[in-house]
Amino acid sequence: RYCNFVSRIFRVMKGKSLKDYFGKARKEKWALAQFNVSCAEQLQGVVEAGAETKSPLLIGTSEGDANFFTPSLAVDLVAFWRKETGLPIFLNFDHGKSFEVLERAAKAGYDALHFDGSKLPLEENINIAKRIVVLARKHRISVVEGEFSEVPGGHSDLHDEVAPVLTGQDYTDPQEALDFVKKSGVDSLAIMVGTLHGIFKTTQPLNIQRLQEISERGIEFLVLHGGSGTPGQELRAAIQKGVVKINVSTDLRVAFTNTLKETLRENPAEIAPYNLLPKSVAAVKQVALTWIAVVGSASKI
Ligand code: G3H
Ligand code: ZN
Protein backbone atom coordinates (compact mmCIF):
# COMPACT_ATOMS: atom_id res chain seq x y z
CA ARG A 1 0.00 0.00 0.00
CA TYR A 2 1.32 3.44 -1.02
CA CYS A 3 0.65 5.20 2.29
CA ASN A 4 2.06 2.30 4.24
CA PHE A 5 5.21 2.69 2.15
CA VAL A 6 5.16 6.46 2.72
CA SER A 7 4.79 5.86 6.44
CA ARG A 8 7.85 3.67 6.46
CA ILE A 9 9.79 6.17 4.38
CA PHE A 10 8.65 8.86 6.81
CA ARG A 11 10.05 6.86 9.67
CA VAL A 12 13.39 6.49 7.91
CA MET A 13 13.63 9.96 6.36
CA LYS A 14 12.19 11.96 9.23
CA GLY A 15 14.85 10.72 11.60
CA LYS A 16 13.19 11.23 14.99
CA SER A 17 11.22 8.13 15.89
CA LEU A 18 8.49 8.00 18.52
CA LYS A 19 11.07 6.44 20.82
CA ASP A 20 13.35 9.44 20.20
CA TYR A 21 10.50 11.72 21.27
CA PHE A 22 9.96 9.63 24.40
CA GLY A 23 13.66 10.06 25.20
CA LYS A 24 13.44 13.84 24.64
CA ALA A 25 10.29 14.05 26.78
CA ARG A 26 11.85 12.02 29.60
CA LYS A 27 14.97 14.20 29.59
CA GLU A 28 13.08 17.49 29.41
CA LYS A 29 10.27 16.34 31.75
CA TRP A 30 7.25 16.69 29.49
CA ALA A 31 5.01 14.03 27.96
CA LEU A 32 3.08 13.13 24.83
CA ALA A 33 -0.67 12.89 25.19
CA GLN A 34 -2.00 9.94 23.17
CA PHE A 35 -5.22 11.21 21.64
CA ASN A 36 -7.55 8.32 20.84
CA VAL A 37 -9.80 9.00 17.86
CA SER A 38 -12.40 7.02 15.92
CA CYS A 39 -13.33 9.43 13.14
CA ALA A 40 -11.67 11.86 10.76
CA GLU A 41 -13.23 14.88 12.49
CA GLN A 42 -11.80 14.00 15.91
CA LEU A 43 -8.41 13.52 14.25
CA GLN A 44 -8.71 16.90 12.50
CA GLY A 45 -9.45 18.66 15.79
CA VAL A 46 -6.35 17.13 17.40
CA VAL A 47 -4.16 17.97 14.40
CA GLU A 48 -5.33 21.59 14.40
CA ALA A 49 -4.33 21.84 18.07
CA GLY A 50 -0.92 20.32 17.30
CA ALA A 51 -0.34 22.68 14.40
CA GLU A 52 -1.30 25.72 16.50
CA THR A 53 1.11 24.76 19.30
CA LYS A 54 3.84 23.11 17.20
CA SER A 55 3.42 19.96 19.27
CA PRO A 56 4.46 16.47 18.17
CA LEU A 57 1.32 14.34 18.12
CA LEU A 58 0.58 10.77 19.11
CA ILE A 59 -2.72 9.40 17.85
CA GLY A 60 -4.21 6.20 19.24
CA THR A 61 -6.91 3.84 18.06
CA SER A 62 -8.46 1.23 20.33
CA GLU A 63 -9.63 -1.98 18.67
CA GLY A 64 -13.10 -0.45 18.41
CA ASP A 65 -11.74 2.79 16.91
CA ALA A 66 -9.53 0.86 14.46
CA ASN A 67 -12.35 -1.45 13.38
CA PHE A 68 -14.54 1.54 12.62
CA PHE A 69 -11.78 3.26 10.59
CA THR A 70 -9.99 0.08 9.41
CA PRO A 71 -6.28 0.22 10.31
CA SER A 72 -5.28 1.14 6.75
CA LEU A 73 -7.53 4.19 6.68
CA ALA A 74 -6.24 5.31 10.07
CA VAL A 75 -2.68 5.08 8.67
CA ASP A 76 -3.69 6.94 5.51
CA LEU A 77 -5.41 9.76 7.42
CA VAL A 78 -2.41 10.25 9.71
CA ALA A 79 -0.08 10.19 6.68
CA PHE A 80 -2.26 12.86 5.05
CA TRP A 81 -2.08 15.16 8.08
CA ARG A 82 1.65 14.53 8.48
CA LYS A 83 2.20 15.66 4.90
CA GLU A 84 -0.31 18.51 5.17
CA THR A 85 1.13 20.01 8.38
CA GLY A 86 4.76 18.84 8.42
CA LEU A 87 4.17 17.82 12.07
CA PRO A 88 5.68 14.62 13.49
CA ILE A 89 2.48 12.60 13.97
CA PHE A 90 2.68 9.01 15.20
CA LEU A 91 -0.05 6.37 15.26
CA ASN A 92 -0.31 3.76 18.03
CA PHE A 93 -2.57 0.73 18.10
CA ASP A 94 -3.99 0.92 21.62
CA HIS A 95 -4.96 -2.04 23.81
CA GLY A 96 -4.33 -4.66 21.16
CA LYS A 97 -5.37 -7.94 22.78
CA SER A 98 -3.79 -10.43 20.39
CA PHE A 99 -0.74 -10.95 18.21
CA GLU A 100 -2.97 -11.14 15.11
CA VAL A 101 -4.64 -7.78 15.73
CA LEU A 102 -1.27 -6.09 16.21
CA GLU A 103 0.26 -7.87 13.23
CA ARG A 104 -2.54 -6.39 11.07
CA ALA A 105 -1.75 -2.95 12.46
CA ALA A 106 1.99 -3.38 11.86
CA LYS A 107 1.35 -4.43 8.26
CA ALA A 108 -0.98 -1.45 7.79
CA GLY A 109 1.83 0.93 8.80
CA TYR A 110 1.22 1.83 12.47
CA ASP A 111 4.15 3.52 14.21
CA ALA A 112 3.63 1.89 17.62
CA LEU A 113 1.88 -1.11 19.13
CA HIS A 114 0.37 -1.56 22.60
CA PHE A 115 -0.10 -5.18 23.63
CA ASP A 116 -2.56 -5.30 26.50
CA GLY A 117 -2.02 -8.74 28.02
CA SER A 118 -3.26 -7.64 31.45
CA LYS A 119 -6.02 -10.24 31.47
CA LEU A 120 -3.67 -13.11 30.51
CA PRO A 121 -1.52 -15.28 32.78
CA LEU A 122 1.80 -13.45 33.21
CA GLU A 123 3.94 -15.99 31.30
CA GLU A 124 1.57 -15.96 28.32
CA ASN A 125 1.54 -12.15 28.40
CA ILE A 126 5.35 -12.06 28.35
CA ASN A 127 5.62 -14.64 25.56
CA ILE A 128 3.20 -12.83 23.25
CA ALA A 129 4.82 -9.48 24.05
CA LYS A 130 8.21 -10.92 23.05
CA ARG A 131 6.76 -12.01 19.68
CA ILE A 132 5.28 -8.55 19.16
CA VAL A 133 8.65 -6.92 19.84
CA VAL A 134 10.18 -9.09 17.09
CA LEU A 135 7.28 -8.21 14.77
CA ALA A 136 7.74 -4.50 15.51
CA ARG A 137 11.43 -4.48 14.73
CA LYS A 138 10.72 -6.25 11.42
CA HIS A 139 8.38 -3.36 10.53
CA ARG A 140 10.74 -0.63 11.81
CA ILE A 141 8.28 0.16 14.62
CA SER A 142 10.22 1.86 17.41
CA VAL A 143 7.80 1.44 20.33
CA VAL A 144 6.04 -1.60 21.75
CA GLU A 145 4.10 -0.86 24.93
CA GLY A 146 3.42 -3.67 27.37
CA GLU A 147 0.86 -3.99 30.14
CA PHE A 148 0.39 -6.54 32.93
CA SER A 149 -1.45 -4.58 35.66
CA GLU A 150 -4.93 -3.68 34.51
CA VAL A 151 -6.13 -0.09 34.70
CA PRO A 152 -9.66 -0.29 36.22
CA GLY A 153 -12.70 1.26 34.55
CA GLY A 154 -12.51 -1.10 31.61
CA HIS A 155 -13.13 1.35 28.81
CA SER A 156 -13.39 4.98 27.83
CA ASP A 157 -16.77 6.16 28.96
CA LEU A 158 -18.71 8.30 31.42
CA HIS A 159 -19.09 5.88 34.30
CA ASP A 160 -22.22 6.88 36.25
CA GLU A 161 -20.79 5.76 39.59
CA VAL A 162 -18.13 6.69 42.11
CA ALA A 163 -14.59 5.56 41.35
CA PRO A 164 -13.56 2.11 42.65
CA VAL A 165 -11.62 2.37 45.91
CA LEU A 166 -8.05 1.26 45.18
CA THR A 167 -5.93 -0.69 47.65
CA GLY A 168 -2.25 -1.69 47.68
CA GLN A 169 -2.37 -4.66 45.32
CA ASP A 170 -4.25 -2.64 42.71
CA TYR A 171 -1.11 -0.64 42.03
CA THR A 172 1.73 -1.86 39.80
CA ASP A 173 4.45 -3.61 41.79
CA PRO A 174 7.87 -2.00 41.02
CA GLN A 175 9.86 -5.25 40.89
CA GLU A 176 7.20 -7.04 38.82
CA ALA A 177 7.32 -4.08 36.44
CA LEU A 178 11.09 -4.36 35.99
CA ASP A 179 10.93 -8.14 35.57
CA PHE A 180 8.19 -7.78 32.95
CA VAL A 181 10.14 -5.21 30.91
CA LYS A 182 13.35 -7.25 31.08
CA LYS A 183 11.69 -10.56 30.12
CA SER A 184 9.42 -9.15 27.39
CA GLY A 185 11.74 -6.56 25.85
CA VAL A 186 8.96 -3.97 25.53
CA ASP A 187 10.01 -0.35 25.09
CA SER A 188 7.42 1.22 27.38
CA LEU A 189 5.15 0.01 30.14
CA ALA A 190 1.57 0.93 31.00
CA ILE A 191 1.41 1.14 34.79
CA MET A 192 -1.39 1.42 37.33
CA VAL A 193 -0.80 4.14 39.90
CA GLY A 194 -4.35 5.44 40.27
CA THR A 195 -5.68 6.64 36.92
CA LEU A 196 -8.86 4.94 35.71
CA HIS A 197 -10.29 4.27 32.26
CA GLY A 198 -13.19 6.65 31.76
CA ILE A 199 -14.54 9.47 33.92
CA PHE A 200 -16.14 8.60 37.29
CA LYS A 201 -18.21 10.73 39.66
CA THR A 202 -15.25 10.93 42.05
CA THR A 203 -11.49 11.03 41.67
CA GLN A 204 -8.68 9.94 43.97
CA PRO A 205 -5.06 11.09 44.18
CA LEU A 206 -2.43 9.25 42.15
CA ASN A 207 -0.01 7.09 44.11
CA ILE A 208 3.04 9.21 43.30
CA GLN A 209 5.14 7.34 45.87
CA ARG A 210 4.54 4.06 44.01
CA LEU A 211 5.28 5.78 40.71
CA GLN A 212 8.58 6.99 42.13
CA GLU A 213 9.45 3.44 43.27
CA ILE A 214 8.67 2.08 39.79
CA SER A 215 10.67 4.82 38.11
CA GLU A 216 13.64 4.20 40.41
CA ARG A 217 13.83 0.65 39.05
CA GLY A 218 15.19 2.24 35.87
CA ILE A 219 12.28 1.52 33.55
CA GLU A 220 12.85 4.14 30.89
CA PHE A 221 9.41 4.91 29.48
CA LEU A 222 6.33 4.81 31.71
CA VAL A 223 2.78 5.24 30.43
CA LEU A 224 -0.43 6.27 32.17
CA HIS A 225 -3.76 5.16 30.79
CA GLY A 226 -7.07 6.69 31.78
CA GLY A 227 -6.01 10.32 31.46
CA SER A 228 -9.53 11.79 31.27
CA GLY A 229 -10.86 13.06 34.58
CA THR A 230 -7.42 13.16 36.22
CA PRO A 231 -6.49 16.61 37.60
CA GLY A 232 -3.73 18.34 35.61
CA GLN A 233 -1.49 18.93 38.61
CA GLU A 234 -1.56 15.19 39.41
CA LEU A 235 -0.49 14.42 35.86
CA ARG A 236 2.28 17.02 35.94
CA ALA A 237 3.58 15.43 39.16
CA ALA A 238 3.60 12.06 37.37
CA ILE A 239 5.52 13.55 34.44
CA GLN A 240 8.15 14.84 36.87
CA LYS A 241 8.58 11.20 37.98
CA GLY A 242 9.21 9.86 34.47
CA VAL A 243 5.83 9.36 32.73
CA VAL A 244 6.31 10.14 29.02
CA LYS A 245 2.89 9.20 27.60
CA ILE A 246 -0.62 9.79 28.92
CA ASN A 247 -3.60 8.29 27.09
CA VAL A 248 -6.79 10.30 26.56
CA SER A 249 -10.01 9.13 25.00
CA THR A 250 -13.16 9.93 26.99
CA ASP A 251 -12.46 13.69 27.04
CA LEU A 252 -12.34 13.71 23.22
CA ARG A 253 -15.45 11.52 22.88
CA VAL A 254 -17.40 13.79 25.25
CA ALA A 255 -16.27 16.94 23.40
CA PHE A 256 -17.15 15.54 19.97
CA THR A 257 -20.45 13.88 20.86
CA ASN A 258 -21.93 16.39 23.31
CA THR A 259 -21.19 19.21 20.86
CA LEU A 260 -22.84 17.25 18.04
CA LYS A 261 -25.94 16.63 20.21
CA GLU A 262 -26.13 20.35 20.96
CA THR A 263 -25.71 21.24 17.27
CA LEU A 264 -28.47 18.81 16.32
CA ARG A 265 -30.75 20.25 19.01
CA GLU A 266 -30.10 23.81 17.81
CA ASN A 267 -30.45 22.94 14.09
CA PRO A 268 -33.17 20.29 13.86
CA ALA A 269 -33.70 20.88 10.13
CA GLU A 270 -29.98 20.71 9.22
CA ILE A 271 -28.91 17.52 7.42
CA ALA A 272 -25.52 18.47 5.90
CA PRO A 273 -22.59 16.94 7.81
CA TYR A 274 -20.36 19.79 6.66
CA ASN A 275 -22.70 22.09 8.66
CA LEU A 276 -23.21 19.76 11.61
CA LEU A 277 -19.64 18.66 12.31
CA PRO A 278 -17.38 21.78 12.39
CA LYS A 279 -18.37 22.69 15.96
CA SER A 280 -17.45 19.18 17.09
CA VAL A 281 -14.06 19.50 15.39
CA ALA A 282 -13.54 22.81 17.20
CA ALA A 283 -14.56 21.30 20.54
CA VAL A 284 -12.08 18.44 20.12
CA LYS A 285 -9.38 21.00 19.22
CA GLN A 286 -10.03 22.91 22.44
CA VAL A 287 -9.74 19.75 24.54
CA ALA A 288 -6.52 18.81 22.74
CA LEU A 289 -5.10 22.29 23.35
CA THR A 290 -5.83 21.88 27.07
CA TRP A 291 -4.11 18.51 27.10
CA ILE A 292 -1.06 19.79 25.21
CA ALA A 293 -0.77 22.50 27.88
CA VAL A 294 -1.04 19.93 30.70
CA VAL A 295 1.62 17.57 29.30
CA GLY A 296 3.89 20.38 28.08
CA SER A 297 4.44 19.17 24.49
CA ALA A 298 3.96 22.56 22.81
CA SER A 299 6.95 23.72 20.69
CA LYS A 300 8.68 20.37 21.15
CA ILE A 301 8.83 19.30 17.48
O1 G3H B 1 -6.28 3.72 26.20
C1 G3H B 1 -6.98 4.72 26.26
C2 G3H B 1 -6.97 5.56 27.45
O2 G3H B 1 -6.49 4.84 28.51
C3 G3H B 1 -8.23 6.30 27.63
O3 G3H B 1 -8.56 6.60 28.94
O4 G3H B 1 -10.83 7.47 28.35
O5 G3H B 1 -9.95 7.66 30.69
O6 G3H B 1 -9.00 9.08 28.82
P1 G3H B 1 -9.64 7.76 29.21
ZN1 ZN C 1 -6.10 2.64 28.08
Side-chain angles (χ1 to χ4, degrees):
R1 288 187 53 75
Y2 173 69
C3 277
N4 181 353
F5 174 72
V6 168
S7 283
R8 290 177 203 287
I9 293 298
F10 161 77
R11 282 202 282 268
V12 174
M13 301 298 285
K14 199 67 189 169
K16 272 208 192 89
S17 68
L18 177 59
K19 196 167 188 179
D20 294 332
Y21 275 101
F22 280 179
K24 180 174 161 66
R26 178 78 199 252
K27 190 164 142 248
E28 299 171 358
K29 293 196 181 300
W30 51 276
L32 276 167
Q34 174 182 291
F35 296 108
N36 280 26
V37 299
S38 49
C39 66
E41 291 73 21
Q42 280 183 308
L43 174 58
Q44 183 178 339
V46 171
V47 170
E48 288 179 2
E52 190 167 299
T53 55
K54 294 185 177 45
S55 169
L57 292 176
L58 176 53
I59 303 298
T61 59
S62 65
E63 285 196 29
D65 298 332
N67 290 337
F68 180 65
F69 269 125
T70 75
S72 298
L73 177 57
V75 168
D76 291 355
L77 284 169
V78 167
F80 166 80
W81 283 115
R82 200 182 279 137
K83 183 166 161 282
E84 194 73 10
T85 62
L87 284 177
I89 309 177
F90 301 94
L91 179 61
N92 176 44
F93 196 100
D94 194 35
H95 287 287
K97 301 286 196 308
S98 72
F99 179 87
E100 291 69 26
V101 160
L102 291 171
E103 184 180 39
R104 185 179 172 217
K107 287 179 176 171
Y110 273 64
D111 303 294
L113 305 172
H114 167 213
F115 174 57
D116 176 358
S118 59
K119 291 196 189 311
L120 298 174
L122 187 60
E123 277 317 299
E124 188 180 350
N125 185 351
I126 290 171
N127 290 335
I128 297 173
K130 281 163 75 172
R131 289 177 59 211
I132 290 165
V133 169
V134 172
L135 170 78
R137 299 308 177 244
K138 194 174 93 179
H139 290 273
R140 303 182 71 87
I141 290 172
S142 69
V143 172
V144 173
E145 178 179 326
E147 179 172 350
F148 69 91
S149 34
E150 190 180 354
V151 175
H155 50 85
S156 298
D157 210 337
L158 292 173
H159 300 286
D160 190 20
E161 70 254 29
V162 297
V165 177
L166 302 170
T167 56
Q169 79 274 4
D170 293 320
Y171 298 107
T172 300
D173 176 85
Q175 191 53 46
E176 287 178 12
L178 182 61
D179 293 345
F180 182 91
V181 169
K182 281 186 169 173
K183 287 177 181 172
S184 65
V186 296
D187 305 288
S188 62
L189 183 67
I191 57 174
M192 171 51 196
V193 290
T195 53
L196 302 168
H197 276 121
I199 297 176
F200 287 83
K201 287 187 164 179
T202 56
T203 61
Q204 53 203 315
L206 299 186
N207 189 337
I208 298 296
Q209 175 57 34
R210 179 60 63 88
L211 172 53
Q212 166 105 15
E213 290 160 8
I214 295 167
S215 184
E216 282 169 352
R217 288 302 198 285
I219 301 165
E220 197 174 7
F221 300 133
L222 300 174
V223 177
L224 293 188
H225 280 245
S228 301
T230 310
Q233 78 271 14
E234 297 259 18
L235 295 172
R236 276 191 287 272
I239 292 167
Q240 293 308 308
K241 299 293 179 190
V243 166
V244 294
K245 172 177 176 276
I246 300 174
N247 286 19
V248 186
S249 180
T250 302
D251 278 354
L252 301 181
R253 292 180 174 181
V254 167
F256 179 85
T257 307
N258 285 0
T259 305
L260 180 58
K261 288 175 184 172
E262 189 184 312
T263 306
L264 289 165
R265 264 196 311 275
E266 289 167 359
N267 307 275
E270 183 55 70
I271 60 166
Y274 61 73
N275 284 331
L276 291 171
L277 293 174
K279 281 188 177 175
S280 287
V281 173
V284 168
K285 176 183 175 182
Q286 285 310 311
V287 168
L289 285 170
T290 305
W291 269 97
I292 288 169
V294 166
V295 301
S297 61
S299 307
K300 298 293 187 183
I301 53 177

